[in-house]
Amino acid sequence: MHTKVARFSVRGRVAYGVVENNIVKQIKGNPFGKLVFEGSEYSLSEVKLKAPCRPTKSLAMALNYKSHLGGHEAPKRPEPFYKVPSCIIGPGESIILPKGSGRVDEEAELVVVIGRKCSKVSKVRALDYVFGYTCGNDVSARSWQRNDVQWWRGKSSDTFGPIGPYIATDIDGSRLEITARINGREVQRCNTSDLLFDIPTLISSISQVVTMFPGDLIFTGTSGTPAQIRDGDVVEVEIEDIGILSNPVKAEK
């Protein structure tokens, strides 16, 4: 039986909790050790869900589905790039389209949440370092991504990293259905069984040179041809066994 972990605000406080039958049971501290319930319970309707963790770093995979290669050669090894922590937002928060950014696309992805310090681990042991999985949207400003020397603003502009609504633990990340919708219209569908580099390979490869800590994230890559998002849209990323991450889209004023 898997657990859904949420980070939420209620009555001016931010806490972590476990979600069961639309009830959030608050835990002490953070969820990356032993879960200890502190006694408070809230209905989902009375709390505001936030990004389910606060990473020190997020790495995102380029070209990790064959359907997303777009004529490029498949990479010989995992090719991650950084999304800075300040781009991370939670469910219901607005994706802001920066002035001058041109076309901005959604990218629906499974996100790995690291559960303990992870350095130089083998592929065989890699899944031992996974706390769980969440939904992610690797929002991308295409003109900046293509024309800048680096991807710093094309991939990491403020609000370009929605995650949530929960972290699902004890699920198999190797065969999960991912769907993206804009205003209810399906724009992406894939399964993580189609990843070019599987999750253990990603974790092991990254950990050889970058130490990851509890709450750090790996965006595993997107499939096919992502769709453009525009002012007034609502974009959803749904992953089975996790939930639906929904964010409105607004142009920068």
Side-chain angles (χ1 to χ4, degrees):
M1 180 68 178
H2 63 268
T3 299
K4 288 185 177 180
V5 173
R7 181 169 160 265
F8 63 96
S9 62
V10 64
R11 300 170 190 168
R13 296 179 294 110
V14 177
Y16 287 93
V18 171
V19 180
E20 296 177 0
N21 299 319
N22 293 320
I23 298 296
V24 185
K25 300 179 179 180
Q26 187 173 332
I27 63 172
K28 294 182 178 180
N30 68 54
F32 300 112
K34 184 179 179 181
L35 293 182
V36 178
F37 293 95
E38 63 94 70
S40 300
E41 297 186 1
Y42 309 95
S43 69
L44 269 178
S45 61
E46 65 180 312
V47 306
K48 177 177 174 52
L49 293 178
K50 303 181 75 67
C53 59
R54 301 180 69 185
T56 69
K57 69 185 74 66
S58 301
L59 291 107
M61 305 310 304
L63 303 178
N64 203 25
Y65 283 88
K66 184 177 180 181
S67 62
H68 191 59
L69 293 177
H72 297 279
E73 273 191 44
K76 301 291 192 295
R77 61 181 182 275
E79 293 287 354
F81 56 90
Y82 283 107
K83 290 179 77 74
V84 299
S86 56
C87 80
I88 300 296
I89 60 172
E93 294 187 74
S94 295
I95 298 168
I96 304 299
L97 307 177
K99 291 178 181 177
S101 57
R103 176 178 174 134
V104 177
D105 288 357
E106 55 74 37
E107 290 192 1
E109 308 195 8
L110 177 70
V111 178
V112 180
V113 182
I114 297 299
R116 57 192 178 103
K117 185 178 178 181
C118 179
S119 176
K120 302 187 187 308
V121 304
S122 67
K123 284 174 60 175
V124 173
R125 293 288 311 281
L127 292 180
D128 295 342
Y129 294 82
V130 174
F131 176 71
Y133 302 90
T134 191
C135 306
N137 188 344
D138 176 22
V139 181
S140 305
R142 296 306 187 197
S143 178
W144 291 350
Q145 185 182 356
R146 284 193 305 268
N147 299 316
D148 291 355
V149 173
Q150 301 288 339
W151 286 5
W152 69 280
R153 62 175 180 166
K155 291 287 193 175
S156 284
S157 290
D158 290 347
T159 75
F160 273 23
I163 59 171
Y166 314 114
I167 302 169
T169 67
D170 302 313
I171 63 173
D172 180 1
S174 69
R175 195 171 295 274
L176 294 174
E177 195 78 7
I178 303 174
T179 308
R181 293 181 291 270
I182 297 176
N183 303 327
R185 177 177 62 91
E186 185 176 304
V187 293
Q188 280 184 291
R189 179 179 288 271
C190 69
N191 193 287
T192 57
S193 60
D194 295 326
L195 288 169
L196 293 177
F197 298 101
D198 64 15
I199 291 165
T201 301
L202 301 182
I203 295 169
S204 178
S205 175
I206 290 168
S207 77
Q208 300 310 308
V209 290
V210 173
T211 300
M212 289 176 287
F213 297 96
D216 284 353
L217 306 176
I218 301 174
F219 286 69
T220 57
T222 202
S223 68
T225 303
Q228 184 175 4
I229 54 176
R230 298 175 173 86
D231 182 36
D233 285 345
V234 174
V235 57
E236 295 176 322
V237 177
E238 181 173 6
I239 303 180
E240 64 175 316
D241 294 334
I242 301 175
I244 299 174
L245 169 65
S246 179
N247 297 91
V249 181
K250 295 182 180 179
E252 184 179 14
K253 299 299 183 185

